Amino acid sequence: MIDLQGLRALVAVDRDGSVVAAADRLGYTASAVSQQVKKLERDLDAVLLERRGRGVLLTDRGRVLASEGRELLAGLERLEALAANEVRRSAPLRIASFSTATRGLVGPLLRDLGTDDAPIAATVTSVDPVDAMGMVADGIVDLAIVHNWNSVPLVTPAHVVSEHLCFDEADIVLSAAHPLARHDDIERADLVDELWASTPTGAICHEALMRIFADLGTVPKVILEDPDFASLVELARNGVAIALVPRLGRAPLPAGAVARPLRDHSQVREVRVAYRRSMAGSPVIRRVVRLLAESGANVGPTEP
């Protein structure tokens, strides 16, 4: 079976003349594009690229596959656009989202989709934004809700378009008995010696936590990792550690826990909705984006 991501990478290399140029167009790193082509080579048991000086050239088989693949990908785009013009009652809209957006934005969306005059069925998968962007780029889902931290940018592939929904700030959640809880906001430097509970290594929220200390010559002392923000809040409430927790989708804090913003308000993420360009004219996609934008308009810089 031909891997479409690898085929798309090969076609881009053929069109743009180099792995680096193809990576720029697709929104990936050059290493990622090379790995995608290598996987395609393994799947087909064929050499598709060969080194020539500091660059690469397509082999004869690679050129044939790129030429045929270009037509195949274009045909898939046309089929996708054609299917997008109908409300697919028998095929639910596939959505990928990160967990706090699932609670804060997707819940209201599903409610509204089910009560409209022309109800739309949908399935939702909660994954990290990097995975969600890959899923929408590869056609695994129709639409993705992602976030883009100012300190940890998220790459959007060239054949994917994204639209702004809202901004969401993350606060420091800690025990009400913690000395820093007496302040209205917190300086980053005052957090250097604290113990932290965080989302797992590799998650974007974890990377955002690391970036808080990037110019302070240290890294946070993470003693516990858990993907569930509710668990992080509970650990903070018990004084075990403190946590960086976004406001979107956050339940009211339990008694004994408080949230304080960073004084420099540096931990703000932009929430966006992403879909393939071929789906841009779909009435279903436009309707979902409109409903998400309406929900996002209600997400503001409220007091923690």
Side-chain angles (χ1 to χ4, degrees):
M1 182 176 179
I2 292 180
D3 177 67
L4 290 181
Q5 192 172 35
L7 183 61
R8 188 174 283 113
L10 181 69
V11 168
V13 173
D14 182 44
R15 178 186 55 223
D16 297 319
S18 73
V19 171
V20 173
D24 288 341
R25 176 184 290 271
L26 294 174
Y28 296 118
T29 64
S31 175
V33 170
S34 294
Q35 291 302 317
Q36 289 163 3
V37 175
K38 286 179 181 177
K39 182 180 184 303
L40 183 62
E41 290 180 322
R42 289 194 300 270
D43 291 344
L44 298 177
D45 192 23
V47 177
L48 305 175
L49 292 179
E50 59 183 9
R51 287 202 169 277
R52 185 65 57 88
R54 294 186 177 182
V56 294
L57 291 176
L58 272 69
T59 63
D60 288 342
R61 190 166 183 182
R63 285 195 298 272
V64 170
L65 186 61
S67 177
E68 295 293 332
R70 187 178 296 107
E71 294 184 17
L72 172 63
L73 293 173
L76 287 174
E77 292 285 317
R78 288 192 296 271
L79 282 174
E80 218 170 41
L82 190 63
N85 288 327
E86 297 293 333
V87 177
R88 299 167 301 162
R89 297 178 184 275
S90 61
L93 184 73
R94 302 164 300 171
I95 300 173
S97 174
F98 56 98
S99 60
T100 51
T102 299
R103 291 195 296 271
L105 295 176
V106 176
L109 169 69
L110 296 181
R111 178 198 62 211
D112 293 341
L113 288 179
T115 57
D116 277 355
D117 292 337
I120 298 171
T123 60
V124 182
T125 303
S126 289
V127 295
D128 203 60
V130 172
D131 296 326
M133 187 64 81
M135 290 171 73
V136 77
D138 294 341
I140 298 172
V141 297
D142 304 303
L143 179 144
I145 303 169
V146 298
H147 60 71
N148 198 10
W149 291 84
N150 49 11
S151 57
V152 189
L154 180 68
V155 174
T156 302
H159 65 292
V160 174
V161 63
S162 67
E163 298 184 34
H164 170 83
L165 293 178
C166 63
F167 289 106
D168 180 36
E169 185 164 2
D171 300 307
I172 307 300
V173 176
L174 61 168
S175 168
H178 195 291
L180 291 175
R182 297 194 299 266
H183 302 285
D184 292 332
D185 49 32
I186 300 174
E187 288 278 10
R188 289 185 297 123
D190 292 335
L191 299 169
V192 168
D193 296 324
E194 297 294 330
L195 301 179
W196 290 83
S198 171
T199 52
T201 301
I204 293 181
C205 289
H206 183 96
E207 296 304 314
L209 173 60
M210 296 295 113
R211 297 295 180 92
I212 290 178
F213 299 89
D215 61 347
L216 298 178
T218 187
V219 294
K221 300 179 178 68
V222 178
I223 63 169
L224 188 143
E225 294 182 358
D226 193 294
D228 185 1
F229 282 117
S231 297
L232 304 186
V233 168
E234 188 62 19
L235 289 163
R237 184 184 73 83
N238 282 289
V240 175
I242 64 176
L244 180 70
V245 182
R247 297 177 187 175
L248 177 63
R250 189 172 75 200
L253 294 177
V258 297
R260 298 290 182 262
L262 290 170
R263 187 161 298 167
D264 62 4
H265 298 282
S266 59
Q267 293 309 306
V268 175
R269 59 184 181 175
E270 183 185 15
V271 181
R272 302 184 69 86
V273 56
Y275 50 88
R276 292 179 299 286
R277 291 187 184 278
S278 61
M279 304 285 282
S282 163
V284 173
I285 292 295
R286 297 315 316 161
R287 184 172 164 196
V288 170
V289 170
R290 175 180 58 79
L291 290 171
L292 285 171
E294 290 173 359
S295 294
N298 296 322
V299 178
T302 56
E303 291 299 321

